[in-house]
Amino acid sequence: MGVRQKKIAVHDLEIGMFVSDLDRPWHQTPFPIQGFHIRSQDDVRSLVSYCKWVVIDVAETRDSVEQHKPGNRAFAGNARRTGNNREVVHLPPLSIKEPVSYENVTTMKKELKMSRKVMMDAEASLHRVFDAVNHGDAPDLREVATVTRQMVASAIRNPDALLWLSRTRHHDDYTYRHSLNTAVWALVCGRQLGLNEGLLNHLGLGCLLSQIGKLDLPDSILVNEGKLDADDFVIYRTYVEKGVAKLVDTGVSRAVISVVQGHRERHNGSGFPEGVRGDRIPLLAKVAGLAEYFETLIGPRDAGEPMTPARAVNLLYEMRNIEFQEYLAEQFIQAIGIYPTGSLVELTDGQRGIVVSHTPERRLWPKVMVMTDRAHQPLRSARILDLAKYNESRSAHEALTIAECLPYGTEGLHPEHYDVTGAESRWSLSRIVGA
């Protein structure tokens, strides 16, 4: 164990320490990511329930992020400031009324063939809506509402297909890509929460239309939205209210309007346009805001380096009860996995590929489409490797796991160039993805 790593008893953990490993497999615990900072004594108590000792990364340890006093747990809107002035707000756990339990009813191979057309139709319908708004006409939202229902149906049957396409299809316009991908992340999260089909329709349509107000913003602000100064940000934040104004007379439901209105609000009141917090933010808007933020991290508009999905997952976990309600953040991570479908990864033996799907029971062992050999040389034919099945009869020393998540666009990793060969199936991704 190097100088960066130190094994300590769980009871000796202190706020600010970074837990990098456990004394048991991660997938046997409720902790949704591999590695996290201790923010409070609540985190320590959670670890005590599962572990006797952990490994901390000394270099990652930082100043206390929460001043916590025993017996002073905050409930139902009671908030306090963290060491870096980020407010933490605890609320009672969410209760979804009559949640629906969904199961995959189609294979990813079959669903990809259907969902590819759905995504193409969604982009085309968004283009027509945005074009009408640009010309000062009232948008006809019936077409985009229809395609939203088709996206919801696909997400219900098998969410991995839409997740795959959101990461591997190419879009000509950032706004369409951002809106579509946000809708996909939100629908997958909503499915995990057990939202019924009607609520999923409202959620998906609200996400698709959430960026419509940006049509009224200057291009100079849009191209720099990741690094705006204070004056430009005042203008930028008006896009939400501009979007609501464009939709109020279109006949869309109040639930859809609430998604557009509230997707930039944050759990601790740090969002806009109204700065509302906690339970004052509608549930669908909370989910949309979380999904939109995640998509911004992994697919920024500007030329900045996109964050890997695994790093973005880590960041979301650290923001629980700060910008995003803890239950929703954890359910989102449970839904998309530690390495979401479409993530480029390198295995511990050097092979590289892309995550095809995952299961909650084996969050660190997804199915991977392997595209290179151990020397990172492209394979003539890619193959599907189910890490869970591969490792089930192997010792920890022999197990094959994911070593790291790679930036999207890493040289040599172009899934659309491959025919996928698995033990049970073979299909052409170039035909499915439409490359």
Side-chain angles (χ1 to χ4, degrees), residues 84-124:
N84 55 1
N85 292 324
R86 294 192 302 174
E87 197 171 27
V88 175
V89 180
H90 285 282
L91 291 177
L94 276 172
S95 178
I96 306 299
K97 185 178 181 180
E98 298 180 353
V100 181
S101 179
Y102 296 104
E103 294 183 1
N104 290 357
V105 296
T106 61
T107 64
M108 181 178 174
K109 172 185 174 181
K110 182 178 180 181
E111 193 59 39
L112 275 170
K113 295 179 179 179
M114 295 184 284
S115 57
R116 173 178 175 265
K117 183 178 186 304
V118 171
M119 292 290 274
M120 293 175 64
D121 290 346
E123 185 170 353

Side-chain angles (χ1 to χ4, degrees), residues 301-320:
R301 179 191 292 268
D302 54 36
E305 183 80 17
M307 192 174 289
T308 66
R311 177 69 188 96
V313 164
N314 187 86
L315 182 59
L316 277 184
Y317 185 66
E318 294 203 359
M319 295 175 69
R320 65 199 190 284

